[in-house]
Amino acid sequence: MPKSNGIPLLGESFRQALLIRALPPLGEFPSAERDEVLARARETPFDLIEWIGVLAGVVFVTWLLRFEAAQVSAYPLPILYFAQFVTAAPLLLLLVGPFYWRCTLRGLEEEIGRRRQTDPSRKRS
């Protein structure tokens, strides 16, 4: 999506403010570079703790939302699957989301470290 050179939209400024609140290290980058830096930070591979957390969260939500035999015979499968999806989405966000957030924060710290290596005049605030 092309960037607008005019007055930023209210939605974009709200998004930027929300990102800075959720990911404070992102504030160290100029606003023009934030999307690119955030994309690189999201490409950071998970570490062992994050992998275990994501897998445990998915397994727990899967176990929690299993079907009983009475449910399968009482309701059509598409309705059960839809209800399961609607219930699983917020549960996964709550249980697995923090591990994605942690990984992104780690990626941002790595980006800050790379930036400081290329420009040693920058100091930690």
Side-chain angles (χ1 to χ4, degrees), residues 56-90:
V58 169
V59 167
F60 179 69
V61 169
T62 303
W63 173 81
L64 196 62
L65 298 177
R66 68 194 182 281
F67 294 136
E68 300 295 329
Q71 290 175 317
V72 173
S73 63
Y75 300 102
L77 279 180
I79 291 175
L80 287 175
Y81 290 146
F82 179 74
Q84 192 177 40
F85 172 76
V86 168
T87 308

Side-chain angles (χ1 to χ4, degrees), residues 6 14-15 17 21 23 27 34 37 41 57 59 63 70 72 76-77 84 92 96 101 103 105 125:
F14 178 73
R15 178 183 166 273
R21 286 272 194 199
L23 302 166
R34 287 182 186 156
V37 167
V59 167
W63 173 81
V72 173
L77 279 180
Q84 192 177 40
L92 287 171
V96 176
W101 180 66
C103 183
L105 280 175
S125 325

Side-chain angles (χ1 to χ4, degrees), residues 4-49:
S4 168
N5 291 335
I7 299 172
L9 300 173
L10 178 62
E12 182 61 26
S13 62
F14 178 73
R15 178 183 166 273
Q16 290 291 329
L18 192 60
L19 281 173
I20 295 297
R21 286 272 194 199
L23 302 166
L26 193 59
E28 293 194 24
F29 297 95
S31 60
E33 296 178 18
R34 287 182 186 156
D35 288 336
E36 180 184 334
V37 167
L38 190 56
R40 282 196 310 264
R42 286 179 178 152
E43 293 173 359
T44 304
F46 288 135
D47 64 5
L48 182 63
I49 293 170

